[in-house]
mmCIF file of all heavy atoms in Angstrom:
data_model
loop_
_atom_site.group_PDB
_atom_site.id
_atom_site.type_symbol
_atom_site.label_atom_id
_atom_site.label_comp_id
_atom_site.label_asym_id
_atom_site.label_seq_id
_atom_site.Cartn_x
_atom_site.Cartn_y
_atom_site.Cartn_z
ATOM 1 N N HIS A 220 8.365 -12.858 -1.947
ATOM 2 C CA HIS A 220 7.052 -12.262 -2.297
ATOM 3 C C HIS A 220 5.976 -13.280 -2.017
ATOM 4 O O HIS A 220 5.949 -14.362 -2.615
ATOM 5 C CB HIS A 220 7.045 -11.841 -3.754
ATOM 6 C CG HIS A 220 5.704 -11.318 -4.215
ATOM 7 N ND1 HIS A 220 5.158 -10.162 -3.709
ATOM 8 C CD2 HIS A 220 4.825 -11.830 -5.115
ATOM 9 C CE1 HIS A 220 3.981 -9.976 -4.275
ATOM 10 N NE2 HIS A 220 3.748 -10.952 -5.130
ATOM 11 N N LEU A 221 5.049 -12.941 -1.108
ATOM 12 C CA LEU A 221 3.901 -13.784 -0.809
ATOM 13 C C LEU A 221 2.637 -13.025 -1.196
ATOM 14 O O LEU A 221 2.498 -11.837 -0.851
ATOM 15 C CB LEU A 221 3.874 -14.111 0.689
ATOM 16 C CG LEU A 221 5.108 -14.834 1.267
ATOM 17 C CD1 LEU A 221 4.901 -15.024 2.771
ATOM 18 C CD2 LEU A 221 5.388 -16.135 0.559
ATOM 19 N N GLU A 222 1.704 -13.704 -1.859
ATOM 20 C CA GLU A 222 0.464 -13.043 -2.222
ATOM 21 C C GLU A 222 -0.707 -14.007 -2.278
ATOM 22 O O GLU A 222 -0.517 -15.224 -2.346
ATOM 23 C CB GLU A 222 0.626 -12.333 -3.578
ATOM 24 C CG GLU A 222 0.868 -13.233 -4.749
ATOM 25 C CD GLU A 222 0.828 -12.479 -6.076
ATOM 26 O OE1 GLU A 222 -0.145 -11.733 -6.300
ATOM 27 O OE2 GLU A 222 1.752 -12.688 -6.904
ATOM 28 N N ASN A 223 -1.897 -13.428 -2.268
ATOM 29 C CA ASN A 223 -3.121 -14.149 -2.481
ATOM 30 C C ASN A 223 -3.300 -15.374 -1.598
ATOM 31 O O ASN A 223 -3.267 -16.510 -2.028
ATOM 32 C CB ASN A 223 -3.247 -14.562 -3.953
ATOM 33 C CG ASN A 223 -4.664 -14.871 -4.346
ATOM 34 O OD1 ASN A 223 -5.566 -14.149 -4.003
ATOM 35 N ND2 ASN A 223 -4.878 -15.976 -5.051
ATOM 36 N N ARG A 224 -3.406 -15.099 -0.285
ATOM 37 C CA ARG A 224 -3.655 -16.134 0.703
ATOM 38 C C ARG A 224 -2.479 -17.092 0.877
ATOM 39 O O ARG A 224 -2.658 -18.300 1.092
ATOM 40 C CB ARG A 224 -4.951 -16.905 0.393
ATOM 41 C CG ARG A 224 -6.175 -16.030 0.310
ATOM 42 C CD ARG A 224 -7.456 -16.854 0.307
ATOM 43 N NE ARG A 224 -7.512 -17.785 -0.779
ATOM 44 C CZ ARG A 224 -7.889 -17.491 -2.015
ATOM 45 N NH1 ARG A 224 -8.220 -16.256 -2.320
ATOM 46 N NH2 ARG A 224 -7.949 -18.454 -2.930
ATOM 47 N N SER A 225 -1.282 -16.574 0.761
ATOM 48 C CA SER A 225 -0.081 -17.400 1.098
ATOM 49 C C SER A 225 0.114 -17.271 2.614
ATOM 50 O O SER A 225 0.812 -16.335 3.064
ATOM 51 C CB SER A 225 1.140 -16.901 0.324
ATOM 52 O OG SER A 225 0.998 -17.159 -1.056
ATOM 53 N N SER A 226 -0.445 -18.169 3.362
ATOM 54 C CA SER A 226 -0.590 -17.983 4.805
ATOM 55 C C SER A 226 0.307 -18.921 5.594
ATOM 56 O O SER A 226 0.852 -19.905 5.083
ATOM 57 C CB SER A 226 -2.049 -18.239 5.188
ATOM 58 O OG SER A 226 -2.913 -17.364 4.509
ATOM 59 N N GLN A 227 0.506 -18.579 6.868
ATOM 60 C CA GLN A 227 1.265 -19.368 7.839
ATOM 61 C C GLN A 227 2.692 -19.628 7.342
ATOM 62 O O GLN A 227 3.176 -20.772 7.343
ATOM 63 C CB GLN A 227 0.524 -20.671 8.126
ATOM 64 C CG GLN A 227 -0.911 -20.513 8.612
ATOM 65 C CD GLN A 227 -1.029 -19.500 9.732
ATOM 66 O OE1 GLN A 227 -0.240 -19.544 10.671
ATOM 67 N NE2 GLN A 227 -2.005 -18.600 9.671
ATOM 68 N N PHE A 228 3.353 -18.571 6.954
ATOM 69 C CA PHE A 228 4.728 -18.639 6.525
ATOM 70 C C PHE A 228 5.658 -18.514 7.741
ATOM 71 O O PHE A 228 5.422 -17.683 8.604
ATOM 72 C CB PHE A 228 5.015 -17.515 5.527
ATOM 73 C CG PHE A 228 6.435 -17.417 5.058
ATOM 74 C CD1 PHE A 228 6.847 -18.023 3.906
ATOM 75 C CD2 PHE A 228 7.372 -16.666 5.789
ATOM 76 C CE1 PHE A 228 8.164 -17.939 3.440
ATOM 77 C CE2 PHE A 228 8.683 -16.586 5.328
ATOM 78 C CZ PHE A 228 9.063 -17.212 4.164
ATOM 79 N N THR A 229 6.701 -19.345 7.821
ATOM 80 C CA THR A 229 7.614 -19.276 8.960
ATOM 81 C C THR A 229 9.073 -19.324 8.439
ATOM 82 O O THR A 229 9.384 -20.092 7.549
ATOM 83 C CB THR A 229 7.397 -20.488 9.898
ATOM 84 O OG1 THR A 229 6.050 -20.468 10.374
ATOM 85 C CG2 THR A 229 8.342 -20.411 11.103
ATOM 86 N N SER A 230 9.890 -18.463 9.029
ATOM 87 C CA SER A 230 11.332 -18.519 8.719
ATOM 88 C C SER A 230 12.110 -18.503 10.036
ATOM 89 O O SER A 230 11.721 -17.839 10.977
ATOM 90 C CB SER A 230 11.763 -17.366 7.825
ATOM 91 O OG SER A 230 11.905 -16.181 8.549
#
Side-chain angles (χ1 to χ4, degrees):
H220 175 65
L221 303 178
E222 65 172 311
N223 199 45
R224 303 192 302 277
S225 292
S226 303
Q227 305 309 316
F228 176 93
T229 301
S230 78

